[in-house]
Amino acid sequence: MKLLKFIKYLFRPSDEHKGIRPIQIYVLKLFFLLMFVFASSDAWAELLTHKGEWNPEIAVAWCSIAAYTTLSGIGIFHTLKMLPIMIFMIFYKALWLVFVAYPMWQNGTLANSEALDWSQIFILILIPIIFMPWKYIFKTFILGED
């Protein structure tokens, strides 16, 4: 009986979270946590241990990843306020899948490439896409309503 109540709670819009279902908040918190723990540690390790001159484009990429994944740590606690970080992550990964991975897949060159590993990671953006509170995002960040 308690399990059924908990499941109902997870899928019912919550006043505490501005009408967003708790399951959405928890999944987004999980993704913020994963970004913060894994991606920021990789990015900072790369920045702090790099030897020699940087390729400027590669350096921009690592600095950008370090910045947004470190900021994602705030999203663990202030999930709705940090949704733009999640939108950024979805947007750049979707662009990469469309402009890099898809053409390689069409040409039959994705399977034996380094891009395959990135594709397998980046395709996981489907999960936050499904759990994003799109109506809230539109109202808050596009229309500017509270």
Side-chain angles (χ1 to χ4, degrees):
M1 215 42 158
K2 288 182 181 180
L3 179 62
L4 187 58
K5 282 184 178 182
F6 181 69
I7 292 171
K8 285 182 180 179
Y9 162 77
L10 287 177
F11 290 92
R12 191 174 338 162
S14 164
D15 291 335
E16 178 185 354
H17 300 294
K18 301 184 180 187
I20 299 166
R21 290 169 174 77
I23 188 76
Q24 291 174 285
I25 298 294
Y26 294 138
V27 169
L28 292 170
K29 283 180 184 289
L30 174 64
F31 267 81
F32 278 124
L33 177 67
L34 293 172
M35 280 193 288
F36 181 72
V37 170
F38 294 109
S40 70
S41 63
D42 288 349
W44 282 106
E46 184 67 28
L47 289 174
L48 295 172
T49 62
H50 181 79
K51 304 271 190 272
E53 277 191 45
W54 279 99
N55 171 317
E57 288 90 10
I58 300 296
V60 166
W62 280 114
C63 290
S64 298
I65 293 168
Y68 97 82
T69 57
T70 301
L71 288 172
S72 70
I74 299 168
I76 299 166
F77 306 101
H78 303 285
T79 307
L80 297 178
K81 291 179 181 177
M82 296 306 288
L83 284 175
I85 294 288
M86 189 68 67
I87 294 167
F88 172 79
M89 186 264 309
I90 289 170
F91 192 48
Y92 96 78
K93 288 181 179 183
L95 288 172
W96 190 91
L97 287 167
V98 168
F99 289 106
V100 178
Y102 182 69
M104 291 178 76
W105 177 74
Q106 273 188 318
N107 295 334
T109 58
L110 181 63
N112 296 319
S113 73
E114 189 178 319
L116 180 62
D117 293 337
W118 288 104
S119 300
Q120 291 170 339
I121 294 167
F122 284 8
I123 200 69
L124 294 175
I125 64 165
L126 294 174
I127 297 168
I129 287 172
I130 291 167
F131 286 93
M132 286 291 277
W134 293 109
K135 184 178 175 183
Y136 173 84
I137 290 168
F138 183 77
K139 287 172 62 178
T140 304
F141 298 109
I142 308 298
L143 298 179
E145 298 176 6
D146 284 332

